[in-house]
Amino acid sequence: MISQIKRFKKLPLYMTNHWLFLEKNNLIRKIELIFVLFLSTLTVILEALGLSILIPLLSLIEHSGDIEKFKSSSVLCRYVADIFFYFGIPINLANISLTAFTLILFRQIVNYFNNIENERLKWKVHKRLSVETINRIMSAKLKYVQDIKPGHFTNTSTNEAGDTAAILRCYGALWMTLMVFIAYALILLITSLKITFMIMIFLFTLMILLSGIIRLTKKYSSINLEYRRQFFNFLNERFTAWKFIVLTNSLDNEINHAENINTNIYNNQVKLLRLQGLLGLLFLPLASLFLLVTLNLFVTVLHIDLTVITTFGLAFVRLMPVTLNLQSNINKLVAYFPSYLYVEKIFNDAGSNSVNRKEGIILSPLKKEIEYRNVSFNYEGRKDFALKDINFCIKSGSFVSIIGHSGAGKSTLIDLLPRMIEPNEGSIYYDGIDIKKCSIESLRSNIAYVTQEPFLFNSTIIDNLRYTKSEATEDEIWNALKLAHAYDFVKSFPKGLQTDLGTLGKKISGGQRQRIVLARTFLSDASIIILDEPTSALDNESDLKIQSAIDTLKNKIGATIIIIAHRFSTINKSDIIINLDQGQIVKNRNKDTAV
């Protein structure tokens, strides 16, 4: 019994922490919750008043309309009589019936808006929480984001955010349950102190006896949370690897894996359903037994009046589902809290790894040079430096090739410039300004980054091209496509710019994807273009067109181009060649030096 009571004591602490978490992160406003609780309270008041009128109605019928007997039958009837006399309303069956109907009607109207507002508040917070979760994770440092699995990211932003917001719905239900208890307790107190005491003792004892279900609910809910993470990770990873799976004839194994995970989810969910079913199985029979025994006791032993018995019966019948609902909502709270704790951890971890993108010096387009001065970088957990004592200078408008074997440090060198990672030693200067002092947002707005695997969104060509310049006109877009040698094939598509590219642009060829990405780069107006081996996976024809587009970038746009290169045709056009080997520059050569 003591251990059961302790579990109930933890709930207020959980609820308080949950509320503080939502309020601290501007996910809810007090006035929103107060409005919902007000509607819940008003609903209960109207319901209690409606019941209060029904009891005098029965009493008036029992006493055949005798007002004096009606007034003396109970304290409640006397109060009703006084109120009617005060407003000058005659006490008769029609007036009491009309009053009862009016109160019940208004109760239903208010309850309608109460249900709508409760659900709306839940979805408001769900929306804010989902968006802020995405913002927190996506705004964090590179290392933190790399440790987040795609399935966790998706699951947290959808399911866990939804369950965390759904706790608010439980607040409304619990508040309404509390108000119902208070209202009916007052009615019973006015009617009979002994009856009220007996009912409260019974309901409290029953709740404590059934509260063991809470512990198991919390356990299975935590397990469910882990299973959901596993399944989301599985879906994201396997769908991305679809081509590899079908080519290696591994589909049957993956289907079995999916079935095993879903079997675990199914079995755990069935256990939760059984726990919820136990509430009805145990509560209603015990409550009915108590009601029947008590009624017999009232009639045969205590000889209590019919009005008092009627009051007891109505109140008890109403309180039975309310008590069951209370237990159910406590179970829901326990089931949702693992999701809230997980979301809170994500917020805290992402917050401690957050990057302030706006703070710092605002940069203009590059005019003079980029300088790496004594720059060294070491990945956490590794002994050797990925880059060691790097020094070089790139003049504005230069075409620079970075070459070297796999693992030489080429990508690391590039990631330092837009501050995806920070050097352990040394500094990088942008027109003489240490980029550590610069606004990350303004720094990155001056850099266009084209990755080795061209990234396109699952949308149309025009939407992808406008991603970096939303106000771009169609004329500007077609001009960018011409510069990127993509005009002809886009024009040949039946839907032109409205052609859907599919997931990662897989509905078009690799060379076409790369040229659309370059067209997007032309539209960005960036003064620095970073190209990560843009032609490594292309055929000779596509390579020539990409090379021509790069020439356009250099000659017509006047941007500073930094390219991780492997083909002689690219390297030969460079103003500067930076040759990396084991994290150090072997030679810093000009274009006249043989590779």
Side-chain angles (χ1 to χ4, degrees):
M1 178 74 75
I2 294 174
S3 63
Q4 302 290 2
I5 293 173
K6 284 181 178 178
R7 290 190 195 107
F8 276 107
K9 286 182 177 179
K10 290 181 180 179
L11 283 178
L13 178 62
Y14 287 148
M15 293 165 67
T16 301
N17 289 340
H18 173 260
W19 167 259
L20 292 174
F21 165 73
L22 295 179
E23 192 177 35
K24 173 185 174 184
N25 292 289
N26 298 314
L27 300 169
I28 192 171
R29 290 181 283 276
K30 286 181 181 178
I31 190 64
E32 293 174 329
L33 184 61
I34 290 172
F35 180 61
V36 167
L37 297 182
F38 166 74
L39 290 176
S40 298
T41 305
L42 186 58
T43 299
V44 173
I45 291 173
L46 291 170
E47 178 184 328
L49 290 175
L51 176 65
S52 300
I53 294 297
L54 287 175
I55 294 168
L57 179 66
L58 295 173
S59 181
L60 188 65
I61 294 172
E62 182 184 3
H63 295 96
S64 303
D66 189 317
I67 303 301
E68 292 304 318
K69 289 182 179 180
F70 167 79
K71 291 172 62 178
S72 61
S73 63
S74 69
V75 176
L76 186 59
C77 290
R78 187 169 69 249
Y79 286 158
V80 171
D82 291 342
I83 292 171
F84 272 54
F85 284 144
Y86 179 81
F87 288 102
I89 302 172
I91 300 177
N92 55 48
L93 194 61
N95 286 337
I96 294 179
S97 298
L98 180 61
T99 303
F101 174 77
T102 302
L103 289 169
I104 292 171
L105 176 62
F106 275 108
R107 187 265 180 197
Q108 292 305 109
I109 293 173
V110 174
N111 192 49
Y112 165 79
F113 288 105
N114 176 45
N115 290 332
I116 295 294
E117 290 304 316
N118 260 289
E119 197 64 20
R120 185 153 64 177
L121 178 60
K122 181 258 181 187
W123 283 105
K124 273 183 185 177
V125 174
H126 184 180
K127 178 186 71 173
R128 295 168 188 165
L129 187 55
S130 181
V131 171
E132 185 59 21
T133 300
I134 295 169
N135 179 43
R136 291 283 179 115
I137 294 175
M138 298 286 278
S139 298
K141 296 175 183 176
L142 176 65
K143 182 181 181 303
Y144 176 79
V145 176
Q146 288 175 332
D147 289 339
I148 296 285
K149 294 181 179 179
H152 284 190
F153 177 66
T154 305
N155 186 44
T156 304
S157 304
T158 53
N159 286 349
E160 311 316 331
D163 285 354
T164 303
I167 294 175
L168 286 169
R169 197 163 46 194
C170 294
Y171 289 169
L174 289 173
W175 176 259
M176 194 168 182
T177 300
L178 176 63
M179 291 298 101
V180 168
F181 271 118
I182 293 173
Y184 281 85
L186 288 173
I187 293 172
L188 289 171
L189 279 171
I190 292 173
T191 306
S192 172
L193 181 61
K194 291 180 181 179
I195 293 176
T196 304
F197 183 73
M198 290 175 63
I199 291 177
M200 291 303 133
I201 289 293
F202 168 75
L203 293 177
F204 180 74
T205 303
L206 195 61
M207 284 176 54
I208 295 299
L209 291 174
L210 297 178
S211 64
I213 296 173
I214 292 177
R215 178 179 55 82
L216 292 174
T217 300
K218 182 179 180 181
K219 173 185 173 182
Y220 293 136
S221 297
S222 297
I223 293 172
N224 249 5
L225 177 63
E226 182 56 36
Y227 285 154
R228 285 201 301 265
R229 290 182 206 163
Q230 290 179 13
F231 192 53
F232 270 90
N233 284 334
F234 174 84
L235 290 176
N236 277 277
E237 189 174 61
R238 267 45 176 197
F239 190 72
T240 303
W242 169 80
K243 188 174 181 180
F244 173 75
I245 290 169
V246 296
L247 288 176
T248 54
N249 292 318
S250 303
L251 184 58
D252 289 341
N253 292 334
E254 297 303 338
I255 295 299
N256 289 334
H257 193 171
E259 185 174 357
N260 290 336
I261 297 175
N262 275 284
T263 297
N264 290 333
I265 295 173
Y266 166 79
N267 290 336
N268 202 64
Q269 195 62 43
V270 168
K271 291 176 183 177
L272 279 171
L273 289 172
R274 285 174 179 166
L275 286 175
Q276 294 170 4
L278 276 175
L279 290 174
L281 180 64
L282 298 176
F283 181 83
L284 291 177
L286 289 174
S288 300
L289 178 63
F290 173 78
L291 175 62
L292 293 172
V293 171
T294 307
L295 285 175
N296 278 276
L297 180 66
F298 288 169
V299 174
T300 58
V301 179
L302 300 178
H303 306 291
I304 294 177
D305 292 341
L306 178 61
T307 302
V308 175
I309 294 175
T310 303
T311 304
F312 164 77
L314 288 173
F316 191 81
V317 168
R318 178 68 180 101
L319 286 174
M320 277 200 301
V322 169
T323 307
L324 185 61
N325 187 52
L326 173 62
Q327 182 72 39
S328 175
N329 276 288
I330 290 174
N331 280 347
K332 287 179 182 178
L333 276 175
V334 174
Y336 292 149
F337 271 124
S339 294
Y340 145 62
L341 293 173
Y342 180 67
V343 171
E344 184 181 43
K345 184 178 184 304
I346 289 290
F347 267 56
N348 291 337
D349 291 348
S352 63
N353 285 278
S354 64
V355 176
N356 190 327
R357 293 169 295 171
K358 297 183 181 296
E359 185 179 4
I361 300 169
I362 305 300
L363 296 174
S364 302
L366 186 70
K367 295 182 177 63
K368 298 177 182 177
E369 62 186 15
I370 298 166
E371 182 184 1
Y372 279 61
R373 191 182 299 172
N374 303 319
V375 171
S376 296
F377 179 82
N378 183 32
Y379 287 102
E380 187 177 336
R382 300 184 187 178
K383 293 181 179 179
D384 298 329
F385 276 86
L387 294 173
K388 183 65 176 176
D389 200 25
I390 299 296
N391 289 275
F392 65 86
C393 185
I394 300 172
K395 297 296 182 182
S396 174
S398 298
F399 182 13
V400 181
S401 286
I402 301 174
I403 63 172
H405 299 295
S406 177
K410 301 186 297 296
S411 296
T412 304
L413 186 73
I414 290 299
D415 285 342
L416 286 166
L417 182 55
R419 291 183 62 187
M420 297 298 293
I421 53 178
E422 302 282 356
N424 298 97
E425 300 173 11
S427 298
I428 301 170
Y429 294 88
Y430 180 109
D431 280 345
I433 303 171
D434 189 337
I435 61 172
K436 292 177 184 176
K437 300 177 181 179
C438 301
S439 156
I440 291 178
E441 190 171 77
S442 72
L443 173 65
R444 292 175 183 171
S445 68
N446 283 292
I447 299 172
Y449 202 148
V450 180
T451 58
Q452 182 175 354
E453 181 62 34
F455 185 88
L456 294 170
F457 293 97
N458 186 7
S459 187
T460 62
I461 291 174
I462 193 168
D463 286 342
N464 273 279
L465 291 174
R466 281 180 171 161
Y467 187 76
T468 54
K469 189 177 181 180
S470 58
E471 72 279 7
T473 65
E474 285 203 18
D475 287 342
E476 288 176 317
I477 288 170
W478 283 114
N479 184 55
L481 289 169
K482 286 179 182 177
L483 294 174
H485 297 281
Y487 179 92
D488 291 338
F489 75 78
V490 172
K491 202 71 175 177
S492 69
F493 293 151
K495 292 185 178 180
L497 293 174
Q498 298 300 327
T499 300
D500 182 65
L501 297 177
T503 304
L504 300 177
K506 292 299 177 68
K507 289 185 178 181
I508 58 177
S509 71
Q512 289 172 334
R513 288 199 298 271
Q514 194 65 275
R515 279 177 274 166
I516 288 177
V517 169
L518 284 173
R520 185 168 64 194
T521 303
F522 285 127
L523 283 169
S524 69
D525 297 327
S527 59
I528 302 169
I529 312 293
I530 298 175
L531 305 169
D532 188 353
E533 300 193 72
T535 64
S536 62
L538 303 181
D539 55 42
N540 287 330
E541 183 181 353
S542 297
D543 177 44
L544 289 173
K545 290 180 179 179
I546 299 298
Q547 293 291 345
S548 179
I550 293 172
D551 288 341
T552 303
L553 276 172
K554 183 177 184 296
N555 300 322
K556 294 186 178 180
I557 308 301
T560 302
I561 302 172
I562 304 172
I563 184 169
I564 295 178
H566 73 290
R567 297 201 180 194
F568 183 83
S569 56
T570 302
I571 299 168
N572 195 43
K573 297 176 182 179
S574 305
D575 299 317
I576 299 172
I577 301 170
I578 298 174
N579 189 1
L580 287 174
D581 185 29
Q582 296 182 355
Q584 293 182 307
I585 296 178
V586 178
K587 275 189 179 182
N588 189 350
R589 301 177 292 186
N590 62 33
K591 65 180 180 179
D592 297 323
T593 305
V595 179

